[in-house]
Amino acid sequence: MSLGYADRLKQRKNLGGQLGAQEYHQSFEDIKAGIQTLAQWIKDTDKVFIFTGAGISTSCGIPDFRGPNGIWTLRKKKLPIPSDFTPFEYAKPSFTHMVIAALVLSGKAPYVCSQNVDGLHLRSGVPRQQLAELHGNCFAERCTACRTEYSRDFQMETVNFRQTGRVCPAPGCGAPLVDNILDWDTALPEDELEAAVEAAEGAGVALVLGTSLQIQPANEIPVLTHDEGGKMVIVNLQKTPKDRRADLLLRCRVDLAMALLAGELGLQVPPYVRSESLLVEHRLSPGPSPGPGSAAAGPSGAQGGRALTVTLRSVHGRECPVPILESVVAEVEAAEAEAGPARVKVEGEGDGEGEAAIKAEADHLAGIKMEPGTAGSGAADRSGSGGAASSSGRGPDPAAPWRPAAVGPLTGSPGAYVATFPGLPYGLRAARVTLRLRLVRWADADKRDVTLSHVVDLAALGAAQAAAAEAQGRAGAMAGAKGEAKVREATPAAANGDAMAADGAAGAQSLGPEPGTSAAGAPAPAGPPPPPGFLPVTHRFVSQEAKYDPEAVVAAFLAAPPPVVVPEPPAKKAKKEPSPAPAPTRQSQRLSRNSQRAAAGAAEAAGAAAEAGVDGASGSGSDG
């Protein structure tokens, strides 16, 4: 969240610029006229350079820093910080974010330069290669060796390029990863700074949105468009140091300006769809082998059988947090191995197709066929655990279905939810795993309850684990043959690093829009698959959706327009007037009188000399 990001920065008294400056609002007629001018300029140019600040995220529930109610403004005044903000992890892009994405997708705005660290430009669909994040990104980490960046769905806990504790999943790399967030004294990224400067110089219009332009040297970038003969437009509620250089100033909220602009340009604003990805791993633990007539072969498995451990974790790697989850409840029941690939079912589906799929699954479970010696066919009971008692009361009924030995919440660290289900009969070929998720309150209300379901082929799982154990044994033997003192896997830190590099890459992506979040760009290629033996299943589901209507934004403004308060136009510097003569002192008065006497004497002498010259000239003439 923004408060956490602000707290992680170095503490300093000079926060770079004025805090809490007054905000101004133009009339709707003036705003609309200005937007019409801006729209025409955009139509007349091939390239628009967009420069953004914290003001484009305030409508997302994220407070700014230097506004009247900004974090640093309130702290300087020693006032309490509001608690009703939206954490970075769950914020939806604003209307402005989505219009910017639409301009980028249309080709009109080839480059966006942002001072924000909230990652919302990427979520909105702006491709990473067309975005300069001058101050970094709270949701990105970078490899110290190959320089690859990875996009995450959780915030980094550090700033200033410190190690995060994870390693690069790229094949053959494994170097430490660091956060990608600048601190006060950190230099701006040269590659992105150069790209932004080049884009600004080559643009016909620089559109500055929601920034007071007080931080150097970033505030000089959009001015380059003006210096190269283009137009610079500033949309901000506060004055900025660059107002005199602007060709157009709009004092209004950026969402209103962009809603009007979308209407003037005929832009289709894309919807926002946020999808989550979770990885489910499975592990079989052997129990006592059932002999002929053994009770372990009974339907419930209460006196023997295998144990299935189900782990739900982040696709980004082990021990990575899963911030979208509030709670998880798991259930395991008998199923057919031929049931097909994993299927995701979201509770609350009201369409006929969803209801038909749920009914088909119920019909399928009602007629499960079990391997001989475990259980006969019959209706699967989802409600309890243990085996059904026979009518004679002399033990489990061989004809009764196997029911789960445990149903309850998954426990463990926030990065790994784990549940173990003992007593799976040895003859059971497949098990259906059902996970019931409760999402955090920032998810859409109709999407907070999610059900994920898939079938695990137990025979394949056991074979994969055996192969993995055999491969690990061969690797250990080879290491021992080479005379190594320690096998790398025996070192906890090294083993943890290997696991992160290998199976953590299953969900690692090159930095860019999260797959499924918008129509912009395809997901980046994933890293190598997890190590064998887990039979992982990746589930995807939607947690947030939003549609953006320009007319609704305009209507909301007109329903409660703010009072019109317009600042004085930037005054031009007046020419310097000559300074008045200094008041005479006694000494200067004496000097003046002496000068006057000397001047009078010189004038008398000059007059006498002139008269003598005239007389001489006239006498000589007479002689001639």
Side-chain angles (χ1 to χ4, degrees):
M1 52 190 168
S2 57
L3 294 181
Y5 161 69
D7 289 337
R8 290 194 292 270
L9 297 174
K10 292 179 182 177
Q11 299 299 312
R12 55 183 292 179
K13 293 182 179 179
N14 181 13
L15 297 173
Q18 182 181 5
L19 300 179
Q22 182 180 354
E23 294 182 344
Y24 298 94
H25 296 271
Q26 291 176 294
S27 67
F28 181 72
E29 291 73 18
D30 290 343
I31 297 169
K32 190 171 183 179
I35 290 297
Q36 290 172 345
T37 300
L38 170 60
Q40 189 59 52
W41 288 347
I42 291 177
K43 292 176 183 178
D44 294 340
T45 186
D46 294 332
K47 296 180 180 178
V48 177
F49 173 71
I50 299 177
F51 188 85
T52 66
I56 73 169
S57 297
T58 53
S59 62
C60 308
I62 298 174
D64 61 13
F65 296 102
R66 294 180 176 82
N69 295 310
I71 294 174
W72 291 330
T73 303
L74 296 177
R75 285 183 174 175
K76 186 175 182 179
K77 295 179 179 180
K78 297 183 179 180
L79 296 175
I81 305 297
S83 58
D84 58 343
F85 56 84
T86 302
F88 278 2
E89 290 91 338
Y90 315 111
K92 298 178 183 178
S94 67
F95 193 94
T96 298
H97 284 104
M98 302 310 295
V99 175
I100 292 172
L103 286 168
V104 172
L105 293 174
S106 70
K108 183 63 76 170
Y111 207 73
V112 177
C113 181
S114 177
Q115 302 170 97
N116 299 337
V117 297
D118 52 30
L120 288 175
H121 277 306
L122 290 174
R123 290 188 202 172
S124 71
V126 176
R128 181 65 177 96
Q129 64 272 17
Q130 293 178 261
L131 174 66
E133 294 182 309
L134 294 184
H135 297 163
N137 187 331
C138 285
F139 297 93
E141 51 189 339
R142 176 178 292 185
C143 176
T144 53
C146 67
R147 309 304 296 167
T148 303
E149 290 184 358
Y150 297 98
S151 177
R152 309 303 191 189
D153 57 6
F154 56 91
Q155 279 200 68
M156 302 300 108
E157 298 179 355
T158 59
V159 298
N160 204 22
F161 307 108
R162 291 188 174 89
Q163 292 189 15
T164 62
R166 290 173 287 275
V167 296
C168 180
C173 187
L177 295 176
V178 296
D179 67 72
N180 198 35
I181 312 169
L182 278 64
D183 207 338
W184 284 109
D185 302 324
T186 313
L188 299 182
E190 292 186 7
D191 53 347
E192 297 186 49
L193 182 60
E194 291 177 2
V197 167
E198 182 179 353
E201 291 176 338
V205 175
L207 184 54
V208 181
L209 302 170
T211 170
S212 58
L213 290 174
Q214 297 191 68
I215 300 301
Q216 294 180 334
N219 63 347
E220 299 292 340
I221 298 175
V223 181
L224 297 173
T225 302
H226 175 82
D227 293 345
E228 294 295 325
K231 307 290 187 182
M232 182 171 72
V233 180
I234 299 177
V235 184
N236 198 58
L237 293 175
Q238 298 171 311
K239 293 181 180 180
T240 82
K242 306 301 180 183
D243 285 356
R244 287 191 178 91
R245 312 285 295 277
D247 298 278
L248 176 63
L249 287 171
L250 292 173
R251 305 294 184 190
C252 64
R253 299 198 179 278
V254 288
D255 281 356
L256 173 63
M258 298 304 276
L260 292 171
L261 182 62
E264 291 290 335
L265 297 177
L267 279 176
Q268 295 295 321
V269 184
Y272 171 67
V273 180
R274 171 170 175 162
S275 63
E276 313 290 343
S277 296
L278 295 174
L279 191 67
V280 185
E281 294 177 342
H282 312 87
R283 198 77 175 166
L284 269 180
S285 300
S289 300
S294 170
S300 71
Q303 303 180 34
R306 300 164 293 178
L308 176 66
T309 299
V310 179
T311 302
L312 178 69
R313 66 173 180 83
S314 168
V315 296
H316 296 288
R318 295 181 181 277
E319 302 307 321
C320 290
V322 188
I324 198 66
L325 292 185
E326 183 177 288
S327 64
V328 183
V329 175
E331 179 181 337
V332 172
E333 59 191 343
E336 294 238 24
E338 297 82 10
R343 184 180 65 80
V344 180
K345 179 182 66 179
V346 181
E347 287 188 350
E349 291 177 334
D351 59 325
E353 183 179 351
E355 294 176 358
I358 296 173
K359 183 177 185 300
E361 179 189 15
D363 294 342
H364 161 72
L365 291 174
I368 352 182
K369 295 180 180 178
M370 308 299 293
E371 288 290 334
T374 56
S377 61
D381 186 352
R382 297 170 178 249
S383 60
S385 62
S390 66
S391 58
S392 62
R394 291 178 295 184
D397 183 358
W402 176 80
R403 293 188 287 182
V407 177
L410 276 70
T411 59
S413 69
Y417 295 83
V418 183
T420 298
F421 298 87
L424 274 73
Y426 277 90
L428 189 65
R429 296 182 303 167
R432 177 175 295 279
V433 176
T434 301
L435 302 171
R436 294 184 177 86
L437 280 53
R438 178 69 171 172
L439 306 186
V440 295
R441 64 184 179 91
W442 289 280
D444 290 351
D446 61 339
K447 297 178 177 62
R448 289 194 65 188
D449 295 305
V450 180
T451 299
L452 310 176
S453 180
H454 60 270
V455 172
V456 182
D457 187 328
L458 299 177
L461 177 60
Q465 290 182 195
E470 184 180 353
Q472 186 176 7
R474 286 198 302 267
M478 292 176 62
K482 292 179 180 179
E484 293 185 4
K486 288 185 178 181
V487 180
R488 181 168 174 79
E489 286 78 6
T491 305
N496 185 43
D498 288 344
M500 289 184 188
D503 84 319
Q509 317 173 62
S510 295
L511 193 60
E514 187 179 355
T517 55
S518 75
F534 294 100
L535 285 191
V537 173
T538 301
H539 283 288
R540 294 181 65 82
F541 55 92
V542 173
S543 60
Q544 292 178 337
E545 287 187 84
K547 294 183 179 180
Y548 299 84
D549 182 6
E551 295 181 358
V553 176
V554 176
F557 174 85
L558 294 176
V564 176
V565 182
V566 182
E568 294 291 331
K572 295 183 178 180
K573 293 183 179 180
K575 293 183 179 180
K576 289 185 178 180
E577 297 181 359
S579 56
T585 62
R586 291 182 179 180
Q587 182 180 5
S588 64
Q589 290 175 355
R590 287 196 298 270
L591 291 175
S592 299
R593 287 194 290 270
N594 292 337
S595 302
Q596 290 172 3
R597 294 192 191 100
E604 291 178 1
E611 289 181 5
V614 170
D615 292 341
S618 58
S620 62
S622 300
D623 291 342

